[in-house]
Amino acid sequence: MIISENKSLALFDQIEEMVEWLASYGKSKRNGVTRTLYSANWQSAQQALKKRMEKIGLQAYYDDVGNLFGRLSAANEDASTILTGSHIDTVIDGGKYDGAYGVIAGIIALQFLYEHYGLPKKNLEVVSLCEEEGSRFPMTYWGSGSITGVKSLKDVQGLTDSQGIPFIEAMQEAGFGKGNYRNPMRTDLASFIELHIEQGEVLEREEKSIGIVSHIVGQRRYHVTVIGESNHAGTTPMAWRKDAMYTAAELIQYLIQKAKETSPDLVATVGQIFTEPNLSNVIPGKTMFSIDIRHCEEHVLDEFCRDVFTQFESIANKHQTKVTIHNWMNEKPVEMSESLIEISEAILTSEQMPYKKMTSGAGHDSQIFGTFCPTSLLFVPSHKGISHSPNEFTRTEDLENGIQLLIKILYKLAY
């Protein structure tokens, strides 16, 4: 399959127009985008996408949680479905490419295939997933989780946003969750392909055009609490202190050093720290901090956490303090489909397009689909790795490289 130069130029202009068009829904004063789940901006964007899908000949429809689909049906509608797309919700004042690029790419790809090759042998659908970020409610992957059966209404009972608005109320005010649309759970998916910006700077630094993801890392998150004894900062000798902050500092230093020594692919982050009573002239009696640990292999995470937390006990005892560790997130690594990886590699190798096989350190909807059906996650470069920011940027040339690859993958799978 060859995409001519004239067709390529048309794609370039279409990509630039669609990126700016979709970013206008929820555009912020800093030229970022704010589209949180079920908000007015989100509703306007989904409705605009629905009209756009219909205009190019796709059958557009919602499911009952607000996922939006554009379908290009096979002659035999009982055929399985190949799904592509991503999410359109954003963080507050986020970028115009995160998630949105995958939706735009899917629409452009299906339009191109329909115009040049007609109806496919398998159903093709692009999805604008209703939610991934968790930026309005304390819930992530609501869209993909509802499609795969990982999430259901019982998971959102009692959830409210920062304004106290219940999740169910917001969903119903947007017109969903009332049984007016089809059940979101799907049983017909043959595969899911997600095209996304990298949100890191590996591809740009290594001058690669495409990233083929082999695994999405597992994530473990913890709250660590150190209990010592508050006392006077001036009258308590150093040798007699039970300083929770001092213990925490040594724990954090050990954690980070151990991560550096364990594997170049393992990352450990302490992003939050609190102490009590938080006064300049009082020895801290209680210090709490967060830990975020990620790696693509479960056994590496197991061994690292076991070794680190054993040493935490020893360090705490040495300083006459106590440590408790609460694990509140434990997401397993997810492997992408080897057969879909091979298809991407074959296409890129034949075209001499520089690519990198890599892991994803961030979570994506692909990790939800990856345990449900054969899944592929593909990256294009992010300038300086900046994301979740109005400064998020990817060159149109790189966006086009990703879409051309997507077109060729979908053609091979569905025609």
Side-chain angles (χ1 to χ4, degrees), residues 37 89-91 131-142:
L37 178 63
D89 69 308
T90 70
V91 298
E131 195 277 337
E132 187 256 16
E133 298 285 4
S135 55
R136 181 177 180 184
F137 298 96
M139 163 70 72
T140 56
Y141 309 119
W142 174 239

Side-chain angles (χ1 to χ4, degrees), residues 57-122:
L58 302 180
Q59 176 194 351
Y61 67 94
Y62 289 108
D63 67 21
D64 205 42
V65 299
N67 291 314
L68 171 65
F69 301 86
R71 181 178 177 89
L72 186 57
S73 295
N76 174 16
E77 290 204 16
D78 291 331
S80 59
T81 300
I82 297 162
L83 185 65
T84 186
S86 194
H87 60 96
I88 68 149
D89 69 308
T90 70
V91 298
I92 306 299
D93 208 20
K96 64 180 71 170
Y97 302 93
D98 177 9
Y101 168 55
V103 178
I104 291 168
I107 292 173
I108 292 174
L110 265 60
Q111 180 180 1
F112 184 95
L113 289 166
Y114 183 40
E115 290 178 352
H116 293 91
Y117 300 99
L119 295 178
K121 295 177 182 176
K122 292 184 179 179

Side-chain angles (χ1 to χ4, degrees), residues 140-160:
T140 56
Y141 309 119
W142 174 239
S144 54
S146 297
I147 292 171
T148 59
V150 174
K151 309 279 187 182
S152 67
L153 287 176
K154 66 179 177 60
D155 296 303
V156 297
Q157 296 291 336
L159 295 187
T160 60

Side-chain angles (χ1 to χ4, degrees), residues 71-230:
R71 181 178 177 89
L72 186 57
S73 295
N76 174 16
E77 290 204 16
D78 291 331
S80 59
T81 300
I82 297 162
L83 185 65
T84 186
S86 194
H87 60 96
I88 68 149
D89 69 308
T90 70
V91 298
I92 306 299
D93 208 20
K96 64 180 71 170
Y97 302 93
D98 177 9
Y101 168 55
V103 178
I104 291 168
I107 292 173
I108 292 174
L110 265 60
Q111 180 180 1
F112 184 95
L113 289 166
Y114 183 40
E115 290 178 352
H116 293 91
Y117 300 99
L119 295 178
K121 295 177 182 176
K122 292 184 179 179
N123 301 305
L124 285 174
E125 289 192 20
V126 54
V127 61
S128 175
L129 293 163
C130 63
E131 195 277 337
E132 187 256 16
E133 298 285 4
S135 55
R136 181 177 180 184
F137 298 96
M139 163 70 72
T140 56
Y141 309 119
W142 174 239
S144 54
S146 297
I147 292 171
T148 59
V150 174
K151 309 279 187 182
S152 67
L153 287 176
K154 66 179 177 60
D155 296 303
V156 297
Q157 296 291 336
L159 295 187
T160 60
D161 66 10
S162 61
Q163 304 301 311
I165 299 172
F167 189 107
I168 299 294
E169 180 182 316
M171 179 167 58
Q172 292 184 344
E173 285 187 358
F176 303 102
K178 300 178 180 181
N180 294 332
Y181 300 97
R182 65 181 67 189
N183 189 308
M185 180 69 183
R186 298 289 291 266
T187 59
D188 62 321
L189 299 184
S191 57
F192 174 70
I193 301 164
E194 183 173 18
L195 189 55
H196 207 282
I197 59 169
E198 182 194 349
Q199 298 179 281
E201 53 185 325
V202 173
L203 294 176
E204 184 175 69
R205 280 177 175 256
E206 297 189 10
E207 298 183 340
K208 305 295 186 184
S209 297
I210 298 289
I212 302 175
V213 175
S214 61
H215 297 78
I216 299 175
V217 296
Q219 297 185 44
R220 298 190 184 180
R221 298 187 190 181
Y222 300 85
H223 289 144
V224 179
T225 303
V226 181
I227 301 296
E229 184 177 86
S230 293

